[in-house]
Every structure is written in structure tokens, then in C-alpha cells.
Amino acid sequence: MRRLLIALLFLWLLGGALLASAQTIFSIKGTVRDADTKETLIGANVYLKESLNGMSTDINGRFEIKERQGYYILACSFIGYIEFEQAISLNKDLTIDIDLNPSSFMGETVEIVGGRVDQNVRSAEVGLIELPMKRIERLPVLFGEPDILKTIQLLPGIQSGGEGSNSFYVRGGGADQNLILLDDATVYNPSHLFGFFSVFNSDIVNSADILKAGIPAEYGGRMSSVLNITAKEGDLQNYRADIGVGLISARAKIEGFIQKDKSSFILAGRRTYVDVFLKPFSKGTNFEGVGYYFYDLNGKLSFHLSEKDHVFVGGYYGKDVFNFQQKDDVMGVHMYWNNAFASVRWVHFFKPDFYLNTSVIFTDYKFAIDANESVFDMRLFSGVQDWTAKSHLVWQSNTLNKVKMGMDYIFHTFTPSSAMANSNEVGFDLGDPQKMYAHDFSTFIQHEWDPLSWLKILYGVRYNYFAQVGPFTRYQIDDIYNMNNIDSTLYGRESIVSDYHTVDPRINMRFQLDRTKSIKTSYTLNHQSVNLAAMSTSTLPMDVWFPSTELVKPQKSHQFSLGYFQNFMNNTIETSVEAYYKLMDNLIEFQTGANVANALKTNYDWLFTYGKGNSYGIEFFINKTAGKFTGWIGYTLSWTTRNFDDIMNGKTFYARFDRRHDVSILLSYKLNDQWDFSAVWVFASGNASTIPAAFYFMEGRIITEWGDYNAWRMPNYHRLDLSANWNLFEKKHVSGSLNFSVYNTYNRKNPYYISYRASGNLSERKLQISAYQVSIFPIVPSIAFNMKIR
């Protein structure tokens, strides 16, 4: 570790010493915006056609290119927009702001005119994939609702959590090891409807990208990936409205200017109405008394105070509600969970290439369940609340050097589990609500450097300090089965219960072979001090978030990646082959036989056991980005194992989401200005599962003897989805379209879980137990209407 840090310091000093060597070239800088709305475009490709020297616009839509004196064609392209070209004479520093015009209504998702800069070959990032919203909106989806999380599950190295689930697993990591950000705010539960929908309304998303390897030092707190989503800012020129109506939900968005070219707003909302439609049809059926709905609201205000100061105020609130009440009111359940955040971000430009990005964010996630049966009432509650402050400084001295440094601070309040119960107004003592507090501080510095024409290096280091603080009571227990407290230690407010110092070095290197080929490699060390304690493998909101404590050490992972990247046909076909190896330590699982109810009066972390894991594999990716026919093919071959001392006596076993083969094929075709079509086919090896090895009859009861942990495989999963988009009309101020989708076109009965049932008569010793597969989604057609008002 010391040698690696010394090497990183040497590279930093050497890069600084060479800054002066690049001062003889001229610069072209500016901002890329939508020509209609004046919103900045993040991730637009800006480059010089003759040299292919260029970059993608940053989070503020800005770019800067430096090149030798000469005559060039400055080009800019972005999916859904007509390519921009301008001849320039580069004999002095230039400032050129670019307004991109949206392409035709139908062509916006699949047609890109001309070539584009080869960012996937030229950049230093390994495992970075950008997801244009224009493409996501045209994919076949369940119930006609565009979904970012469903789309990223189609990428190599990223596995779905199962049928209908929005959980995803990146290169052998857990669902909690993904850092999911919406406008810099952490999203703890990204799902609606028990995982069938994501919380991200596509109407408000501006850009989305995912990092599955080579994570830069500016990101921390999770081990496997970063999904970074940025919301739109609102139209600075006009007022607009979008309306979408699907089978089970509807959505609406309105945006416009507050002061033209100076400030804007955007508001969007969704709600399901399946509860309203099903209520009259459920009377007299097993579903009578069952109700479910979700809704969410997004909002953002943008203020361009001056050329140097921009302020953004954003917020999100989403809630799921599930109700069940028997006709005779004997038993009822009310369950809800919600995500919420509010943020303020200030961007100050000291110079066009030197700016400060500062955010203050409040995040709140809650889950609660109220149940009643006759005279008995119970309430279970858990949640996590964060206060976050971030400040990042960015300096791009020239095209060859970009420095980013900053500090992040989070104050966490965790409520792992609390319960209340009473009967006939007599309360039961279930212990005081457990709350846990933690300070989470980090600072980082990173440098992106081109020391040679064929070599690019992105390296940095991140320091983390995590401290659990009081008030807190640490109990000592007799054993995990009884969990009786035998002693305790009381910590006062802000007293340090346990703390951890960790250092995460990161490095990415790109070796350019020629204009269309490169080799990239990376090493990252990541620590994670916030954990998700899951009682099951399903996507349930009752799984609880838990901090590192005296017993729970921060999770740690080392990941090594190596990839070969090559583009064809004027950069319109991108290909890559990436291999990776990941080592993980301090992984967390519930101990065998652990009972959460026993922990209500003591410390939750006595229930856990800790272990190691590793994952390795190879990923293949072919992506066609331009023309009437676009799409990608991804294939992953991988192995993922776990080892816990308290599980299977320390024997190594396959992780549940170890899948030997994972294939995804996505195809889109633009027929004409009225019709375009898409198809998605996926295949995945069956999940590892634990099944009974034998059943015994003892004292009139059935006793189950379980087999080895995750030693059996579920049947393979595969599915074909189809969709068609029909543009009904397009007039000056209004346009409308219909989306037709078919989910699981050939009606494959994919496994959701394996269940067991008994038949016969136990008293006569004639009892048979048989296993059967439970599937939840047959073929599901859907239709959605979308209208845009301008």
C-alpha cells in the first residue's frame, strides 16, 4: 500500500511539473445547450474532426479543447440531436457556445448524422457506460413505463435481481454495494411496487451513466458501482407539458421559464391507479380488501444568477402504500415506505476552466408496517436519514490535465428496527426504539493526465473517516439464540463508540494503439461503511440499513480490470472485451437461526456473521450507435463465491446471483417518420438456491433437512420483449404517440421461486411432498399514450 501511494504521489508531482509544456497550444471552450430549451447538455461529444481531439461536456454542459494552431472542423453530436459543425481557424483562444437542434420526432432515438468522437476508446474510464434517455424511452418495458434500472440490467456485468425486480448486482457485488445518486442525493430504495418500477421518472431525467469498474476517487461509500442520474433543469425559453397514460399508471410534467434565459422550473409527478380500477372487480374474490398504489413527485428550480454563479434547488418525494383488510375487520395490514430528498447546489466559476461545485442535501428513507388482528395491534418501523454537505473543486489547466479535489460529509441517523405492540390497550415491552448515529467524512484528490499522445492516466486517492457516535448502549448477550442481555456500556451524546480510518487509492490507464483501438486497465480499492441487512433475497423494503459498528467492520473490495476497446465504421460500432477480478472482505449476512424479534431489546449487530467473497469474469459488448438500425449485444461469463465461517462450516459456496452465462440483445429499427420498433431478448443461467435434501416425520410434524448452501440451480431464465412506437400526429405546438409493448412474448414460465406442498394423509403415513415452480409473469401486452405540448 505504501509503495502504491508513493507511486501515485510521484505521478501527481510529475504531472504538475509538466503543465508548462502544454501552454503553447490554443483553446476552444464553450457550453453546449439545447437550441429550443437552452438547457445544458451533459455528455455531448465535442471534438475536432481532423485530430479527433475532444471531450464530453461536464455536468455544467461545458467543454474545453486545446490543440495546435491550424484549420479545423469543430463538431458536436448528441443522441437525439442534429450534429453541429463549424469551420474554425485556431490562431488564438476561442469561445464558441453551441446550440444543438433536436432531430425529427421519430429520428431522435436512433439516427445520428455523421461520426462522433470515440470517447469509449479515448477516455481513461474502464467500465463506464452512458445511457441516453432517448434510447431508454423506446425500449419494450413492463406496463409501458420507461425504466432506467431495467435498462442497465441489459448491460454486460450487471445482473438483474430476478423477474420484475429492480435490484441489480454488479460484478459479483451485493444490491447494497451500488451507489445510486439522483442530483447528488443518495437513493436508498430505488424501487416502487416491490421492485417492478423504479423511482426514476423518465420525464425528468437529463442524463444517466453507470461505472462498474475504475471508479474515480470522487466517489466513495460503495464497493461495486456508481449509477449517477441528473435531472433536467427546465426550459429557459418556453412553457412545455408532457402527459403519459399507461395501463396501471399515469404521469405528467410541466416546465418553463421564470425569467427568460435566467431561471426555470420543472415539475413532474406519477401515480398508479390500479387500486381504483380493481376495487369494483375484487368484491367477493380473494383480492377484496387489498389495495396498493404509489406516487412520486419531482421538482427543480434553476437560477443563472450570472456567468459565474448558478444555483439549483431540487426535491423528490415518493411513497408506496399497501393495504389489506378482511371483510369482517378481524385482520388488517397497512404498509408503506417512502424516499425523500431536498437539495441546494451552487456552482461558482472562478474562470471557465476553474469552478467550485457545492451541495447541501437532506435525505430521508422510511419503512413502516401496521398490523392488527382482533384486539392485537403491532407496528414495525425502520429507516435512515442523512444530512450531507459536498464541495468539489475542478481545475482543467489544459486539455492534458484535469484536477478534481473535494470533501464530503454525511451525518447518518439509522433506525434499524423498532416495534410497538399492544392488546386491549395493554402495551408490550419490546424495548426502546434503536437509533444509531454516525459521522461519515471523506476527502479526495484526483488527476486526469495525458503525459503522452498514446497514454492517459486517471489516478487519485480518497481518505475516509467513519465514526459511530452516541447516544448508544452496547449490550453483551449470552448467545444469539436467546439474546439475553448480561451487561451493558452506555455512551453519551457524540461519544465515539467505534471509528475507522481507511484510504482508497484508484488508478485507470489507457494505452492508445491507434485512433480506433485502445487497451485500458484499472485498480480500485473501495470501502463501504453502510450496509443493507437483508432477511431474504427478494426486493423487500423491510430490509434494513445498518452502519459499521464495533462488530460490523467496513466492507472492503479490491478490483482489477483489463479491457480491449475498438470501434468500426467511423465510430458508429463500438466493441469491447473486459476481464475483471474482485476480492471482497467483511461481507455481512444474518447468522443461521438468527431471529430479528430477539434483537428488539438488544443490539442488532449480534445477529450478523461476516465473511469473504470473490468474483471474476469476462464481458463482451457490441454497440451500434448510429443509423436506422441500432442496438447492442452483451455477454458475460462469470463466477462469484462466498465464504463465511458460520455458514457450511466455512466451506466456500456460490453466491445466490452467481450466473455462469448472461446474454442480452437489444435491437431498434426506425422504419419511417411514423414507426419505430424495438426488441429485447435476455438469457441468464439459473440462480443458485438452497433446497431440502430430505423430509422426516417426527412426533406428527414434518422436519426439513436442508441441503448444501446454494448447491442447486434454478432453471435458466430467458424472455423476449417487443415494442412499437407510432407517432400519431405532430403539429406546431402539440404531438402525440402510442407505445405498444409485449413483455415475455413467447409466454416463457420463468422461475420466481420454488415452493413445496404436501398431499396425502400424515396419520396414515401416506404423505407426499412435491416441489413446484412459481412463475409470476406470463405474456403481458401493454399500451401507453404520450402527448407533448409546447
Side-chain angles (χ1 to χ4, degrees):
M1 178 66 72
R2 174 185 283 181
R3 291 181 179 178
L4 180 58
L5 291 174
I6 292 174
L8 290 174
L9 179 60
F10 173 75
L11 288 173
W12 168 261
L13 294 174
L14 182 59
L18 292 177
L19 288 178
S21 66
Q23 299 305 310
T24 58
I25 58 179
F26 297 108
S27 70
I28 312 107
K29 62 183 66 174
T31 303
V32 180
R33 293 185 173 89
D34 183 301
D36 292 341
T37 68
K38 299 303 179 183
E39 280 191 88
T40 56
L41 298 177
I42 302 170
N45 297 300
V46 187
Y47 63 103
L48 301 174
K49 280 202 164 185
E50 288 72 14
S51 64
L52 287 183
N53 180 18
M55 63 177 294
S56 294
T57 54
D58 63 16
I59 192 171
N60 302 299
R62 299 201 176 200
F63 68 91
E64 181 181 16
I65 304 170
K66 293 202 174 185
E67 186 56 270
R68 299 180 186 278
Q69 181 176 349
Y71 295 95
Y72 299 94
I73 300 295
L74 177 66
C76 179
S77 65
F78 194 56
I79 287 182
Y81 293 84
I82 298 171
E83 186 184 34
F84 168 92
E85 289 187 2
Q86 179 178 326
I88 61 172
S89 175
L90 189 59
N91 52 23
K92 62 179 180 179
D93 291 341
L94 300 176
T95 298
I96 301 175
D97 292 329
I98 300 173
D99 288 344
L100 290 184
N101 291 297
S103 56
S104 65
F105 184 82
M106 263 310 301
E108 62 183 5
T109 61
V110 296
E111 188 171 20
I112 301 173
V113 181
R116 66 188 183 111
V117 67
D118 193 0
Q119 278 299 111
N120 68 308
V121 170
R122 295 176 63 86
S123 69
E125 288 91 349
V126 184
L128 170 64
I129 299 177
E130 297 177 354
L131 301 167
M133 282 307 302
K134 301 295 185 182
R135 176 177 284 187
I136 293 174
E137 289 170 355
R138 289 300 190 262
L139 296 182
V141 289
L142 185 64
F143 302 128
E145 185 80 18
D147 196 321
I148 292 176
L149 296 188
K150 291 290 193 298
T151 303
I152 68 171
Q153 293 171 7
L154 302 175
L155 298 170
I158 303 175
Q159 297 178 344
S160 163
E163 183 80 284
S165 173
N166 265 324
S167 295
F168 61 97
Y169 300 80
V170 179
R171 292 186 171 182
D176 65 321
Q177 294 174 4
N178 305 308
L179 178 61
I180 302 175
L181 300 172
L182 176 58
D183 275 351
D184 280 343
T186 301
V187 178
Y188 282 97
N189 186 348
S191 298
H192 284 308
L193 191 58
F194 299 98
F196 294 109
F197 287 86
S198 80
V199 299
F200 305 113
N201 185 342
S202 61
D203 287 340
I204 204 169
V205 174
N206 184 18
S207 66
D209 54 69
I210 186 164
L211 276 160
K212 55 184 179 177
I215 299 172
E218 63 183 292
Y219 297 110
R222 300 294 188 274
M223 297 202 307
S224 288
S225 75
V226 178
L227 175 60
N228 190 18
I229 299 171
T230 305
K232 294 177 181 177
E233 296 176 7
D235 195 324
L236 287 164
Q237 295 287 314
N238 305 285
Y239 294 104
R240 298 171 179 265
D242 292 356
I243 299 171
V245 180
L247 284 181
I248 68 170
S249 66
R251 64 187 193 278
K253 180 195 74 175
I254 184 170
E255 61 178 308
F257 62 87
I258 302 172
Q259 182 180 2
K260 269 196 174 184
D261 296 323
K262 295 291 186 180
S263 55
S264 63
F265 71 92
I266 184 168
L267 296 170
R270 292 185 298 175
R271 193 195 190 279
T272 55
Y273 37 73
V274 65
D275 56 323
V276 179
F277 283 167
L278 288 182
K279 190 172 183 179
F281 300 102
S282 63
K283 291 185 178 179
T285 71
N286 293 333
F287 294 98
E288 185 173 1
V290 176
Y292 174 85
Y293 65 90
F294 76 77
Y295 64 88
D296 54 32
L297 301 168
N298 293 81
K300 191 172 185 179
L301 302 174
S302 303
F303 302 93
H304 296 246
L305 304 179
S306 67
E307 283 296 315
K308 290 189 174 183
D309 292 287
H310 300 168
V311 174
F312 306 92
V313 180
Y316 169 84
Y317 183 82
K319 187 172 185 178
D320 290 66
V321 178
F322 172 80
N323 293 302
F324 170 73
Q325 189 68 50
Q326 288 186 337
K327 290 184 293 185
D328 52 9
D329 289 333
V330 172
M331 187 179 75
V333 175
H334 173 73
M335 181 166 59
Y336 75 87
W337 59 99
N338 64 266
N339 286 287
F341 81 80
S343 66
V344 178
R345 182 166 69 94
W346 169 50
V347 183
H348 176 72
F349 290 90
F350 301 98
K351 297 193 303 181
D353 54 7
F354 186 45
Y355 64 89
L356 181 69
N357 195 344
T358 302
S359 301
V360 177
I361 306 164
F362 171 74
T363 305
D364 189 32
Y365 169 67
K366 295 177 181 176
F367 164 77
I369 179 170
D370 296 301
N372 61 81
E373 184 173 4
S374 188
V375 296
F376 181 78
D377 296 294
M378 183 193 73
R379 178 178 174 82
L380 183 67
F381 173 84
S382 68
V384 57
Q385 189 179 97
D386 291 344
W387 286 95
T388 303
K390 299 181 178 182
S391 190
H392 294 182
L393 190 66
V394 181
W395 175 43
Q396 184 160 356
S397 59
N398 52 54
T399 307
L400 306 180
N401 289 273
K402 182 177 182 180
V403 177
K404 185 177 287 189
M405 63 185 72
M407 295 183 295
D408 300 342
Y409 169 75
I410 308 174
F411 180 72
H412 300 283
T413 302
F414 298 89
T415 308
S417 182
S418 64
M420 296 178 289
N422 65 78
S423 180
N424 283 330
E425 300 183 357
V426 177
F428 296 95
D429 181 15
L430 298 178
D432 296 328
Q434 296 186 27
K435 285 200 172 184
M436 306 178 73
Y437 306 91
H439 296 290
D440 193 345
F441 171 80
S442 59
T443 184
F444 72 92
I445 185 168
Q446 67 187 46
H447 180 199
E448 187 172 354
W449 176 38
D450 290 54
L452 300 167
S453 61
W454 53 269
L455 177 64
K456 180 188 283 284
I457 305 173
L458 173 59
Y459 62 98
V461 64
R462 185 179 185 90
Y463 164 76
N464 311 288
Y465 175 71
F466 190 91
Q468 182 200 353
V469 296
F472 179 73
T473 303
R474 165 59 66 189
Y475 295 101
Q476 300 298 321
I477 63 171
D478 49 5
D479 57 64
I480 68 160
Y481 302 104
N482 298 308
M483 300 194 74
N484 295 314
N485 297 324
I486 57 177
D487 199 1
S488 65
T489 303
L490 182 64
Y491 294 88
R493 185 177 181 83
E494 290 300 320
S495 298
I496 295 178
V497 182
S498 61
D499 62 348
Y500 298 94
H501 302 263
T502 57
V503 178
D504 297 346
R506 320 272 177 85
I507 186 167
N508 293 259
M509 302 180 72
R510 182 225 64 201
F511 305 91
Q512 194 81 35
L513 304 180
D514 60 33
R515 286 189 174 185
T516 63
K517 306 182 190 72
S518 67
I519 294 174
K520 301 182 189 180
T521 185
S522 72
Y523 164 75
T524 56
L525 172 61
N526 294 278
H527 286 85
Q528 177 171 332
S529 297
V530 177
N531 314 277
L532 183 66
M535 282 298 293
S536 69
T537 54
S538 58
T539 309
L540 295 176
M542 61 189 69
D543 299 336
V544 298
W545 289 91
F546 201 84
S548 290
T549 66
E550 178 185 0
L551 303 180
V552 181
K553 312 298 182 185
Q555 298 183 65
K556 178 173 65 175
S557 76
H558 300 267
Q559 184 175 179
F560 306 86
S561 296
L562 177 65
Y564 174 77
F565 298 77
Q566 182 171 355
N567 285 7
F568 299 90
M569 297 179 64
N570 196 26
N571 300 323
T572 60
I573 296 180
E574 304 171 349
T575 66
S576 64
V577 180
E578 293 184 55
Y580 68 91
Y581 187 81
K582 182 190 289 186
L583 295 168
M584 294 166 280
D585 201 3
N586 299 329
L587 301 179
I588 182 173
E589 293 279 358
F590 278 98
Q591 295 193 41
T592 304
N595 187 342
V596 176
N598 291 342
L600 293 175
K601 292 186 178 183
T602 185
N603 302 130
Y604 212 84
D605 48 4
W606 287 113
L607 298 172
F608 304 141
T609 183
Y610 312 97
K612 300 180 179 182
N614 66 49
S615 182
Y616 53 93
I618 187 168
E619 302 163 1
F620 300 85
F621 192 49
I622 302 173
N623 184 20
K624 187 175 186 297
T625 61
K628 288 192 172 185
F629 179 76
T630 61
W632 71 63
I633 299 174
Y635 170 69
T636 304
L637 174 67
S638 63
W639 290 261
T640 301
T641 59
R642 297 286 189 265
N643 185 285
F644 288 77
D645 290 340
D646 295 329
I647 298 178
M648 280 183 57
N649 298 317
K651 294 180 182 178
T652 298
F653 58 90
Y654 287 113
R656 170 173 163 77
F657 293 102
D658 167 73
R659 293 180 187 155
R660 200 65 62 245
H661 306 284
D662 210 311
V663 182
S664 61
I665 301 174
L666 184 155
L667 305 174
S668 295
Y669 180 70
K670 173 193 172 185
L671 179 64
N672 51 41
D673 287 343
Q674 282 192 305
W675 288 94
D676 72 90
F677 304 91
S678 295
V680 171
W681 185 77
V682 294
F683 173 90
S685 300
N687 290 337
S689 183
T690 305
I691 63 171
F695 295 96
Y696 301 96
F697 305 106
M698 297 181 63
E699 299 179 353
R701 294 185 300 121
I702 301 175
I703 306 298
T704 304
E705 178 185 335
W706 292 96
D708 288 341
Y709 206 80
N710 288 347
W712 183 78
R713 292 281 173 175
M714 300 274 276
N716 294 332
Y717 180 100
H718 53 89
R719 189 189 77 240
L720 173 67
D721 304 333
L722 300 174
S723 76
N725 291 286
W726 178 23
N727 296 305
L728 296 171
F729 57 89
E730 182 176 11
K731 298 182 179 180
K732 184 177 181 180
H733 296 295
V734 64
S735 60
S737 64
L738 280 175
N739 172 269
F740 305 93
S741 293
V742 181
Y743 182 88
N744 194 10
T745 305
Y746 51 78
N747 200 28
R748 161 76 174 176
K749 291 181 172 56
N750 284 304
Y752 190 60
Y753 64 88
I754 302 297
S755 187
Y756 302 88
R757 56 188 168 200
S759 59
N761 193 319
L762 180 61
S763 62
E764 299 177 359
R765 298 183 178 272
K766 294 180 180 179
L767 190 68
Q768 290 185 337
I769 298 177
S770 57
Y772 65 97
Q773 174 183 298
V774 175
S775 302
I776 56 173
F777 282 127
I779 180 173
V780 181
S782 63
I783 184 171
F785 172 73
N786 298 286
M787 184 170 67
K788 297 179 183 289
I789 303 172
R790 299 183 288 277

